[in-house]
Amino acid sequence: MMDGGRRRLSAPDATYWFVHDTLHWSVVLQLTWTVEGSVPDAALEEMAARLSAGRLHRRLCRPRVPGARPYWVRAEEPLTAVIDRVPVADDEIDAWSGAELDGVPLDPEEGRCWRLRAVTTRDGRSVLSLTALHLVTDGRSMVAAASDALAAVALGRDIPVRGSADLIAADRIPADTSAAGGRTAGAVADLVDAVRQVGAAASGVARVAVGVGRDRLTEGRAGGGRAQTSKTVEAAPTSTEPGRASLSDRAPTAVGARATATVAADAWEAVAVRHGGTTNSLFVAVVSGTLRSAGHADLGVPIRVGLPVDVRADGDDGGNATAGVTVTLTDQPVAGTDLGPIRRACKHAFTELGAGRRTSTVHLQPLMWLLPNRWLLPMVTAGSGMPDVVASNLGASEGLSSVAGRRASRVAFRGIAQGVDPDLPYRFGDGVQAWFLRSGDSITIAAQAFDEKTFPDDSTLRAALRGELLKWEVPHEIR
C-alpha cells in the first residue's frame, strides 16, 4: 500500500516482519540455476545491476509513530554479484547452494534484501544462486524479478523493470530546514497510518466476534479430504496433535533435511491425467505421501496441507500477496489411485478463498502493528496452527530457463528461516514443505523437512521422496 510515496508493509508481510523483529529470524527464499556452460562475469554483473533497479532492491524503515507500519524506500547503493573463484565438484553443488541459503547475510533495514552469487563447476558449468528475504518478496514475485533481470541481460538493452520507480528515495536527513519539514511530513504520514491501523483493528475485532460462530460451523463440516480455509502461520506453536510430541521435541536442533527431484514436465502431466488429477493435485499427493510413508501420520490420521495462493492484483509490486488455504486429508493420498478427491478438495478450498470466505481471525492482523511483541508472541504461537505439509506451487516460468543464452538444466526454488534458536520452543515449520517450479520442459520439487524424528538427515528425506515418486511411476532424478 502506497502512503505519501511510502509503500507500507501489508497484511501478508506481517508474519515475516514479526519473526524478524521479535525472534530475529530471517526468512530467506532461494532460486538456483545449474547452467550448461560458463556464464561470463559481465553477464552476472549485468544481472545484478538489473536486480538493483528492480522490485527486490529496497530498504525498510521503521516508523516514527507507534502503531504505524514500517515502510520501504529505495536502497541507496546497488549490489554486485558475488563470484566464487574456486570451482566445485558436481556432487558439491547442493552443498554450495545450501550453505549460501543458510548463511547469506541479508538485512532489510540495511538495504541488503537480496544477493546474487555464482560459482563454476570443475566440468565447466555454472551454478547461480539468487537469495531474497521473504519480507520483501513472495515466491512468484521473486521469480518475476529474476525473469525480468534475465530478459534484460539476454536482450542487452534496457527493458521496463517493475517495482522500483514508485518508491521514494531514502531519507538522508541533511542539516537544513527542508529536512526538518521532511521529518515532520514523515511523522504526520506515520500518525495517519497509525490511526488507520487502530480503526482497522477495531473493525477486525468486530468482524471476528460476528464470524466465530460461522467458522466453528465450517470447521465442524471439514475433514476427510475436504477443505477449510486458514492462515498459514510460520512461527511454529509448541503444541500439536494429541499423542504427538511437541515440535521443538521433534526438531531439537532446528536443522531441516533437504531433497530435490527433477522430473520431465510431460511425464508429470501424463501421470496426473492418468489418475484423474492435475499437476497441482499430483504435487500435493506426492508431498503429503512422502510425509505419510515416512511414518509421520498413518493413513486414516488427518493431516493438514497448507496451500499458498497468489492473490496479487495487476500492477501490485508490493512484497507479499499470498493467502493460504488448508486442505485436510484423512484417507489420502494412496499412491497410484484416483487423484479426484484431492483435486476436488483443493478446488473447494480455492473457491472458498475466491468467494472471500476465510477464517475470521485473519481480520485481527492489524493488531500485529499495535500490540507489543511480548504480548503477540504467545498469541501467534498458541494452538496447533502449523500445517503438516506446505505445498507451494510456483507454476511455470519460461523466463528462468536460460542465463545469458546458456540453457539451465535445473532451476529450483526453496526457502528456510535463518536464526532459529534450538534452545527456544519456536520453529519455522512442521512436517514437510515443498516448492514446485516448472522451467522449460522440466519440473523441480524442492523439499525441506522439519520433523527431525521422521527425517533425521537428507538421505532419509531423499529416500522417502524417491519412494513416493516410484509408487506413482513418475520417472525422476533426485539429489
Side-chain angles (χ1 to χ4, degrees), residues 50-351:
R50 303 296 182 174
L51 291 166
S52 290
R55 69 185 73 190
L56 303 182
H57 197 58
R58 300 176 177 182
R59 180 167 68 83
L60 192 65
C61 298
R62 292 177 182 263
R64 297 175 175 88
V65 176
R69 294 166 296 166
Y71 60 91
W72 294 108
V73 298
R74 288 197 301 269
E76 294 93 332
E77 300 297 330
L79 301 178
T80 58
V82 176
I83 304 173
D84 293 1
R85 298 303 179 188
V86 178
V88 299
D90 183 72
D91 60 2
E92 295 172 334
I93 290 175
D94 288 344
W96 177 88
S97 62
E100 173 69 357
L101 177 61
D102 292 335
V104 60
L106 303 180
D107 187 332
E109 297 179 75
E110 295 293 328
R112 298 194 311 274
C113 290
W114 61 275
R115 183 160 84 170
L116 178 66
R117 188 170 184 176
V119 69
T120 57
T121 65
R122 292 172 188 165
D123 61 0
R125 293 187 292 171
S126 291
V127 182
L128 277 65
S129 162
L130 174 62
T131 48
L133 290 171
H134 209 327
L135 183 60
V136 77
T137 184
D138 56 25
R140 292 206 175 194
S141 183
M142 183 177 176
V143 166
S147 297
D148 285 350
L150 288 171
V153 171
L155 291 172
R157 58 181 174 83
D158 288 339
I159 62 170
V161 179
R162 294 169 283 182
S164 60
D166 55 355
L167 291 177
I168 64 172
D171 296 332
R172 297 187 181 275
I173 315 184
D176 57 28
T177 55
S178 63
R183 288 195 296 271
T184 300
V188 170
D190 287 345
L191 179 60
V192 169
D193 188 67
V195 171
R196 288 174 177 164
Q197 298 315 303
V198 171
S203 174
V205 170
R207 293 181 70 174
V208 168
V210 171
V212 164
R214 182 199 65 200
D215 286 347
R216 286 177 176 171
L217 179 61
T218 301
E219 290 171 4
R221 291 198 303 259
R226 295 196 294 178
Q228 54 183 333
T229 58
S230 71
K231 175 176 177 286
T232 300
V233 180
E234 294 189 341
T238 57
S239 59
T240 184
E241 298 295 336
R244 187 182 298 169
S246 71
L247 183 51
S248 57
D249 288 339
R250 288 182 284 119
T253 69
V255 176
R258 293 172 183 157
T260 304
T262 304
V263 179
D266 56 355
W268 183 270
E269 291 167 354
V271 172
V273 170
R274 187 162 65 246
H275 294 285
T278 62
T279 57
N280 189 63
S281 56
L282 178 58
F283 173 48
V284 171
V286 166
V287 179
S288 55
T290 298
L291 185 67
R292 279 206 191 278
S293 64
H296 181 88
D298 293 334
L299 202 64
V301 176
I303 59 172
R304 293 165 297 175
V305 182
L307 304 172
V309 181
D310 182 17
V311 293
R312 188 178 300 275
D314 290 343
D316 177 9
D317 288 312
N320 290 276
T322 305
V325 300
T326 300
V327 174
T328 302
L329 303 179
T330 302
D331 299 317
Q332 297 89 26
V334 177
T337 62
D338 183 18
L339 286 168
I342 294 176
R343 176 177 53 81
R344 289 188 293 271
C346 294
K347 182 178 180 180
H348 173 70
F350 299 148
T351 301

